[in-house]
Amino acid sequence: MDKLLIEGGFRLTGEVAISGAKNAALPILCAALLTAEPVTFTNVPQLKDIGTLLDLLGQMGVKVSIDGGTATLEAAGLNNPVAPYEMVKTMRASILVLGPLVARCGEARVSLPGGCAIGARPVDQHIKGLQAMGAEVTVEHGYVHARVPRLKGARLFTDMVTVTGTENLMMAACLADGETVIENAAREPEIVDLANCLVAMGARISGAGTDVIRIQGVERLHGATHRIMPDRIETGTYLCAAAVTGGDVRLTGTSAAYLDAVVDKLMDAGCEVETERDAIRLKAPQRLQAVNLRTSPYPAFPTDMQAQFMALNCVADGVAMIRETIFENRFMHAVELQRLGADIRIDGNTAVVKGVERLQGAAVMATDLRASASLVIAGLIADGETTIERIYHLDRGYERLEEKLAALGARVLRLN
């Protein structure tokens, strides 16, 4: 199994391009199920999760053509609306085929998903929404089975803010009979990107990016071309890596418009951040200042950046308090950071991080995607060598990570 070997102590400098957003690409690729015509997507990141989803769509009868970061999907031959456990057990986003399949085929059988072990992420909001739209839904033998002649527009209120739930129901509503209103909708930029793609395919959607989304159902959608938005979490991760190493980096093909909460915290830590229309530059101070943070749904501080900021706080001046309000098991990286010499105390959903003068390299193990990123950041500044095991998590969400870090001056080696 692959692992990363990092020699710490090298300042990150230079320029690197940010990839397309994994969390935007996954639902957008599923949107191709809604039409028989070819749909072309550009700026698609080449990641393990993307490959898994394309394999899943292929076994449903979708023709998949890939050329670098461009993917063309044609679902005219869609004939198997089933997502089996074997194909979806590693990836929670597989649930995103449920809404499009029910809307287009009138039936879907989708395995309950897996993914990172960071806490309960139930699909009950997806099921409740489809039932409100007239689908008969059962959960048996580990599968969600939904059937309906045609979905009907409805007023949907989610009990909790759910990104994948909002995306699934928005896609389903595009082909429903009548108007669907999703209240308490997620507001993430990836929701807006999905809506822009669906509108290009002929959907009628308003309100994406707010907590109330309205969809007027149409008879059919058509082909289109859509560019995937830049990955704001990859962007934030490289900004944190530059910050802890005292670096000076410029990230291209991205935008600070999606990262207000993260940029604010980096500036609180003492970093200089310059923003351009499609680039961000960060200059780090000699010593970072500790920053408190609390994760919440967008536009507040993202849970997907919590682990990276914990690593940053490990070597900052002062004491930081981090509150995780989204997932109950999202402090598993703290134990691994302690192996590197971090001073972290966990109390329920709060972590208290006291900055230390330096970390020491050691062998650590990745527990989930963003935890992996925090260990990479810590390894970049730890004395000596850090070995990170189980990096298949990283490959799910970061495209060519070691290549990009090496381009900025890091000493990172992938070992088989």
Side-chain angles (χ1 to χ4, degrees):
M1 195 174 289
D2 286 6
K3 54 184 77 171
L4 280 188
L5 177 65
I6 302 175
E7 184 183 349
F10 293 89
R11 182 170 176 259
L12 297 191
T13 59
E15 187 171 291
V16 73
I18 294 301
S19 301
K22 173 183 88 93
N23 289 340
L26 291 169
I28 285 171
L29 291 170
C30 292
L33 293 166
L34 290 165
T35 179
E37 297 181 16
V39 190
T40 298
F41 307 106
T42 61
N43 203 34
V44 178
Q46 296 173 53
L47 301 168
K48 181 70 174 169
D49 274 9
I50 299 294
T52 300
L53 180 63
L54 291 175
D55 287 345
L56 174 62
L57 296 175
Q59 69 91 40
M60 291 178 179
V62 178
K63 282 174 59 178
V64 178
S65 172
I66 308 168
D67 181 11
T70 299
T72 299
L73 277 59
E74 184 180 338
L78 179 62
N79 58 9
N80 182 31
V82 177
Y85 174 72
E86 302 75 47
M87 298 201 69
V88 304
K89 62 185 177 183
T90 62
M91 189 179 66
R92 173 177 169 264
S94 56
I95 195 66
L96 287 164
V97 301
L98 180 62
L101 286 176
V102 175
R104 170 104 183 278
C105 303
E107 184 170 13
R109 198 162 168 270
V110 179
S111 171
L112 291 169
C116 291
I118 57 176
R121 302 196 272 187
V123 297
D124 60 318
Q125 301 303 305
H126 308 236
I127 293 171
K128 190 178 94 167
L130 289 174
Q131 288 173 328
M133 297 169 75
E136 178 189 325
V137 186
T138 57
V139 181
E140 50 197 8
H141 305 297
Y143 281 79
V144 179
H145 190 191
R147 284 173 295 191
V148 67
R150 186 183 179 189
L151 292 168
K152 294 192 178 343
R155 194 170 198 89
L156 311 177
F157 183 88
T158 59
D159 297 334
M160 54 186 282
V161 176
T162 161
V163 176
T164 54
T166 300
E167 291 166 340
N168 231 340
L169 297 174
M170 185 164 68
M171 286 190 283
C174 287
L175 296 180
D177 181 16
E179 182 183 66
T180 298
V181 180
I182 305 173
E183 300 188 48
N184 199 29
R187 296 186 283 166
E188 270 71 3
E190 293 80 8
I191 302 275
V192 178
D193 203 30
L194 172 61
N196 289 340
C197 174
L198 292 168
V199 168
M201 295 168 64
R204 298 171 61 194
I205 301 171
S206 62
T210 76
D211 60 359
V212 179
I213 301 176
R214 295 180 182 273
I215 306 105
Q216 300 285 344
V218 297
E219 285 292 329
R220 57 183 291 277
L221 296 181
H222 53 69
T225 298
H226 179 79
R227 181 175 175 82
I228 307 293
M229 67 175 280
D231 195 316
R232 61 193 174 101
I233 305 303
E234 184 193 25
T235 302
T237 299
Y238 282 105
L239 291 174
C240 283
V244 298
T245 63
D248 181 351
V249 303
R250 182 171 179 267
L251 308 180
T252 62
T254 188
S255 170
Y258 316 120
L259 280 167
D260 286 346
V262 169
V263 168
D264 284 350
K265 290 297 180 184
L266 286 167
M267 293 174 72
D268 288 347
C271 299
E272 290 180 43
V273 182
E274 300 172 12
T275 62
E276 304 168 39
R277 190 176 65 83
D278 60 354
I280 305 173
R281 183 178 180 184
L282 180 140
K283 297 180 190 175
Q286 282 198 314
R287 179 80 171 166
L288 294 164
Q289 297 299 311
V291 288
N292 297 326
L293 59 94
R294 178 181 187 275
T295 66
S296 285
Y298 189 86
F301 191 89
T303 182
D304 277 357
M305 284 300 304
Q306 177 258 106
Q308 298 89 317
F309 268 79
M310 184 179 286
L312 180 152
N313 278 318
C314 287
V315 292
D317 263 346
V319 179
M321 190 169 292
I322 299 174
R323 289 195 62 207
E324 173 59 61
T325 72
I326 308 295
F327 296 124
E328 68 273 17
N329 292 341
R330 208 161 202 181
F331 283 148
M332 291 188 289
H333 47 279
V335 176
E336 301 301 311
L337 290 170
Q338 287 168 344
R339 287 180 53 76
L340 300 173
D343 184 346
I344 303 170
R345 181 170 52 84
I346 304 294
D347 182 11
N349 71 339
T350 302
V352 179
V353 186
K354 184 178 181 182
V356 296
E357 201 60 41
R358 58 175 46 87
L359 298 175
Q360 297 91 39
V364 291
M365 184 183 297
T367 53
D368 66 69
L369 171 53
R370 305 308 173 185
S372 308
S374 76
L375 299 178
V376 170
I377 291 169
L380 291 172
I381 43 156
D383 289 343
E385 293 184 341
T386 297
T387 304
I388 305 174
E389 300 189 18
R390 291 173 59 176
I391 61 164
Y392 59 83
H393 287 295
L394 277 171
D395 294 336
R396 290 182 48 229
Y398 291 95
E399 184 177 38
R400 304 192 317 276
L401 177 79
E402 62 269 31
E403 290 178 37
K404 291 186 180 185
L405 286 173
L408 296 173
R411 301 283 178 90
V412 183
L413 186 65
R414 180 180 288 252
L415 304 175
N416 299 117

